[in-house]
Amino acid sequence: MASKKWGRNITNGCYRPCGAGTAFPPLCGSKSAPKPGVIFQNLKHMKQIIIPSEDLVKEMKPSSEYDEENPYKQYASNGKNIYFNEEDILEGADPETFLFYLGGFAKDKKYCWNGAQRISGADPSSFHALSNTFYKDKNHVYYLMGSLKEADSSTFEACDEGRKINYGCNLLTPYGYGKDANNVFYYDFQGKAKIVRKANPQNFVSLNDGVFGKDDDFVFCGASVLQKVEVESWEKLGGYYSKDKRNVFYYNRIIKEADRDTFEVVIPKDGFSQLAKDKNNRYLNDVVVGESGRDYDRWHKNE
């Protein structure tokens, strides 16, 4: 085995050392229709693996060897031990009954794991994946940062596949909504999952892109409410841009300078910059791009 020491596998399409607060930008963009499933993309070799959506909640047997370029081989067994990310041995794991999920959770007949960390008190007989983001057993709901203490396991369900879509590229990063009888929750791979205030779990739906959701009264970007939005006429445009019959929005904010009728999203060459234009202006995020300067250079570089 190589000497490289990897951190927790956050499968946004790559394996790389990580720590608290690490942010992973989207990796690619596409002007053509994406293939069905999720794209796992390794940064080092730019290797892509198409993952069917149903595999996000499927129980997998460990591979005979670890492969940093293949999420199906993030857990490996030599018959005696289970390894996670090549070097981390799962103490007490039973190779005979060991099963894992592509989001980096696992279980055997006695224990459950988040990466290589044993989950205290988890019940393996009822533990299962709800999406790429959320998991539960008969008592608790789990995600990357641990137990979602505010959630009711008996009524909790995932609202989407739990991964982010950016300009047609599906990434294996834990982003998404879940809900129980009392609350809607959102996780965006940063810090702890948030309760989506004002969201009604009885009629909330996710757009299954890791970013937007709505109920009968509000539209949400992550855990934030879009300002002064008309739900009936609201539509997503691309990236973090959307509009209703009156305004154009970036995240949850109104772009005051935008011309709604001619506003359009520009697919960026780098796959993650947020670019748009209308008859009057060019935009980087929600900022009007001038005729020179760093924003101007970045806009034209990615146009």
Side-chain angles (χ1 to χ4, degrees):
M1 291 184 179
S3 61
K4 189 182 298 179
K5 181 71 173 179
W6 296 99
R8 167 72 165 94
N9 167 27
I10 310 305
T11 46
N12 71 326
C14 61
Y15 289 68
R16 58 170 131 167
C18 59
T22 303
F24 291 84
L27 301 177
C28 60
S30 174
K31 293 185 179 181
S32 60
K35 296 180 180 180
V38 173
I39 295 175
F40 177 94
Q41 184 166 351
N42 175 266
L43 286 179
K44 183 177 180 181
H45 302 295
M46 302 306 288
K47 178 180 178 180
Q48 291 188 350
I49 299 173
I50 304 301
I51 300 174
S53 296
E54 58 267 24
D55 281 5
L56 296 176
V57 295
K58 186 179 293 184
E59 296 176 348
M60 312 275 183
K61 294 290 290 182
S63 172
S64 59
E65 61 180 3
Y66 167 75
D67 183 352
E68 70 175 278
E69 298 184 17
N70 189 336
Y72 290 93
K73 296 184 177 182
Q74 58 185 290
Y75 286 94
S77 172
N78 62 5
K80 294 181 180 180
N81 295 305
I82 298 292
Y83 295 87
F84 175 73
N85 280 3
E86 191 169 24
E87 293 185 349
D88 295 326
I89 297 177
L90 276 62
E91 298 293 339
D94 174 35
E96 295 269 330
T97 61
F98 188 87
L99 299 166
F100 76 94
Y101 304 95
L102 292 179
F105 283 73
K107 66 178 183 178
D108 65 11
K109 65 181 181 180
K110 288 186 177 181
Y111 305 113
C112 298
W113 283 271
N114 178 349
Q117 186 71 36
R118 190 185 298 174
I119 304 173
S120 177
D123 175 55
S125 65
S126 60
F127 186 91
H128 62 285
L130 301 173
S131 69
N132 188 56
T133 296
F134 294 111
Y135 304 76
K136 77 173 184 178
D137 62 16
K138 64 181 181 180
N139 299 313
H140 303 287
V141 175
Y142 305 94
Y143 69 113
L144 180 64
M145 299 303 293
S147 174
L148 187 55
K149 299 185 186 303
E150 302 88 345
D152 171 43
S153 177
S154 66
T155 61
F156 190 92
E157 61 185 80
C159 299
D160 48 42
E161 293 179 359
R163 80 287 183 275
K164 188 176 183 180
I165 297 180
N166 196 68
Y167 298 117
C169 182
N170 301 336
L171 304 174
L172 200 54
T173 314
Y175 271 72
Y177 292 97
K179 65 181 182 180
D180 62 16
N182 304 306
N183 295 297
V184 175
F185 301 86
Y186 179 71
Y187 182 63
D188 61 356
F189 192 42
Q190 298 184 47
K192 295 182 178 181
K194 303 174 181 67
I195 293 177
V196 184
R197 307 296 179 185
K198 297 187 177 182
N200 183 350
Q202 304 307 312
N203 52 57
F204 177 89
V205 294
S206 168
L207 269 67
N208 198 30
D209 60 359
V211 178
F212 288 105
K214 65 179 181 177
D215 61 19
D216 289 349
D217 300 308
F218 301 100
V219 177
F220 304 91
C221 182
S224 300
V225 178
L226 268 68
Q227 304 167 3
K228 301 178 181 179
V229 68
E230 183 188 79
V231 178
E232 293 77 12
S233 63
W234 178 85
E235 60 180 302
K236 179 181 175 178
L237 297 176
Y240 296 112
Y241 296 105
S242 64
K243 69 179 181 180
D244 65 9
K245 71 177 184 181
R246 296 185 298 264
N247 296 302
V248 176
F249 303 87
Y250 176 73
Y251 277 94
N252 66 322
R253 306 187 292 272
I254 295 172
I255 305 178
K256 295 180 180 180
E257 302 87 351
D259 177 72
R260 182 218 176 271
D261 294 334
T262 62
F263 190 92
E264 60 180 293
V265 173
V266 177
I267 305 298
K269 291 179 181 178
D270 65 10
F272 60 88
S273 293
Q274 302 291 311
L275 310 179
K277 64 182 180 180
D278 61 23
K279 67 178 183 180
N280 301 314
N281 299 301
R282 295 181 294 267
Y283 303 89
L284 176 61
N285 302 330
D286 56 348
V287 177
V288 174
V289 176
E291 295 301 321
S292 62
R294 186 169 61 179
D295 288 351
Y296 175 88
D297 294 340
R298 180 177 173 184
W299 203 98
H300 283 280
K301 179 180 178 181
N302 283 290
E303 182 182 10

